[in-house]
Amino acid sequence: MLPLGLWLAFRRQQVIYDVHEDTPRQILDKHYLPQILRRPLAWLVETLERASFNSFAAFAVATPEIGRRFPASKTVLVQNFPQLSEFNIVNIDNYDDRGPNFAYVGGITAARGAREMVQALYLATQSTNVVLKLAGKFNQSLQQELEALPGWKHVDFVGWVDRDATVDLLRECRAGLVLFHPDANHVKAQPNKMFEYMAAGLPVIASDFPLWREIIAGADCGILVDPLDPQAIATAMRWIIDHPEESRAMGERGQKAVKEHYNWEIEQKGLVALYRRLVGTPDLTPTTP
């Protein structure tokens, strides 16, 4: 899309580049691409992005780290946080009555910890019963590999689910898993699923990255682990099951953090202000006489 955007900008159209990923770094971690092609492709994308600095009208970036790569005078931070209205129906009063269920919702890949999650299930079930409610899609070869692992019998794979079904699934769980590997495009990412778990009142078991530690430890709403260590993940899962009162309190603190900071209702204001500025529309917020 970048060449198309540059062509439109050349024709005096106002182009906004909405950037949710550090694409050059992401390409370097795409293991399905031949190693010999990754660096040239990453260089090409970064070159096209740099060519857009003077041509595009604005850049809407999903994280502060991505924003550092673009012109400050044209860049607005619009973080991909959940809508509070989607999670208003989540009642955590029944937390203590829930089964020993853990949630993962999203793209299911090796780089997002699929193997380690299933391996951790097997280790955790040696001393307590746990179930992983797994929602999303993955390729056939990875699915076959995971189904051959002993931990798979503790997986409730529901496939792809829509937004309403996602909320329903989270209402049945004790914690959410976000166990991305420490790839270049992950360590400073802000995955929406992490904030959705928090919005649903779930404690989070997450990769121990510096940025994620700032969010999770800052709100005291989860447990940080080495995402490459299934034993550490299993230990965290057992702790959640064995400490229901502390786990529920973690979930409440995470939900409070989303209501106060990490929500779309706050972020949308910056995006609307950007479009109003570009089209020359005044702020239409009503004022009290």
Side-chain angles (χ1 to χ4, degrees), residues 82-83 86-87 105 160-168 192 196:
Q83 296 185 38
E86 287 191 319
F87 295 90
V105 180
W160 183 89
V161 294
D162 62 18
R163 301 297 301 160
D164 291 340
T166 295
V167 175
D168 289 340
N192 186 254
E196 289 180 341

Side-chain angles (χ1 to χ4, degrees), residues 149-225:
L149 296 175
W152 184 260
K153 63 183 178 181
H154 302 286
V155 174
D156 179 11
F157 177 52
V158 299
W160 183 89
V161 294
D162 62 18
R163 301 297 301 160
D164 291 340
T166 295
V167 175
D168 289 340
L169 183 150
L170 297 181
R171 293 172 66 184
E172 301 176 3
C173 295
R174 297 252 180 175
L177 306 180
V178 196
L179 298 165
F180 290 12
H181 287 188
D183 296 338
N185 193 48
H186 287 164
V187 294
K188 295 184 179 179
Q190 296 178 175
N192 186 254
K193 62 174 60 61
M194 180 163 66
F195 300 102
E196 289 180 341
Y197 298 153
M198 292 165 62
L202 298 184
V204 181
I205 300 176
S207 304
D208 191 2
F209 302 153
L211 175 60
W212 295 16
R213 174 171 288 277
E214 182 179 329
I215 296 167
I216 301 299
D220 192 11
C221 64
I223 302 173
L224 295 151
V225 299

Side-chain angles (χ1 to χ4, degrees), residues 16 40-41 48 61 74 80 94 97 110 114 120 155 158 183 192 208 220 225 253 256 276:
I16 301 170
L41 286 173
L48 288 172
V61 299
K74 291 185 174 184
N80 190 26
N94 71 340
D97 299 325
V155 174
V158 299
D183 296 338
N192 186 254
D208 191 2
D220 192 11
V225 299
R253 290 191 290 269
K256 181 174 183 288
R276 284 180 174 159

Side-chain angles (χ1 to χ4, degrees), residues 24-188:
R25 254 51 63 188
Q26 185 187 48
I27 289 172
L28 294 176
D29 292 327
K30 288 187 180 297
H31 301 294
Y32 59 82
L33 290 175
Q35 181 74 38
I36 196 171
L37 293 180
R38 292 180 204 169
R39 288 192 178 279
L41 286 173
W43 174 86
L44 176 61
V45 172
E46 189 152 21
T47 299
L48 288 172
E49 286 183 338
R50 289 184 178 279
S52 72
F53 289 179
N54 293 325
S55 303
F56 288 178
F59 302 87
V61 299
T63 70
E65 183 65 21
I66 294 173
R68 294 187 181 96
R69 299 177 44 240
F70 295 91
S73 62
K74 291 185 174 184
T75 300
V76 59
L77 177 64
V78 185
Q79 299 172 105
N80 190 26
F81 293 153
Q83 296 185 38
L84 291 177
S85 58
E86 287 191 319
F87 295 90
N88 285 339
I89 62 171
V90 177
N91 183 356
I92 60 175
D93 291 342
N94 71 340
Y95 184 86
D96 295 345
D97 299 325
R98 298 178 185 182
N101 303 321
F102 293 81
Y104 177 85
V105 180
I108 306 168
T109 67
R112 294 187 176 198
R115 293 189 187 93
E116 289 79 9
M117 285 190 287
V118 178
Q119 291 167 346
L121 281 175
Y122 176 73
L123 296 171
T125 52
Q126 302 307 299
S127 59
T128 188
N129 183 38
V130 296
V131 174
L132 173 62
K133 291 190 172 290
L134 183 64
K137 294 181 179 180
F138 47 7
N139 64 52
Q140 187 176 11
S141 62
L142 180 59
Q143 181 172 355
Q144 291 174 344
E145 178 186 344
L146 297 183
E147 289 176 347
L149 296 175
W152 184 260
K153 63 183 178 181
H154 302 286
V155 174
D156 179 11
F157 177 52
V158 299
W160 183 89
V161 294
D162 62 18
R163 301 297 301 160
D164 291 340
T166 295
V167 175
D168 289 340
L169 183 150
L170 297 181
R171 293 172 66 184
E172 301 176 3
C173 295
R174 297 252 180 175
L177 306 180
V178 196
L179 298 165
F180 290 12
H181 287 188
D183 296 338
N185 193 48
H186 287 164
V187 294
K188 295 184 179 179

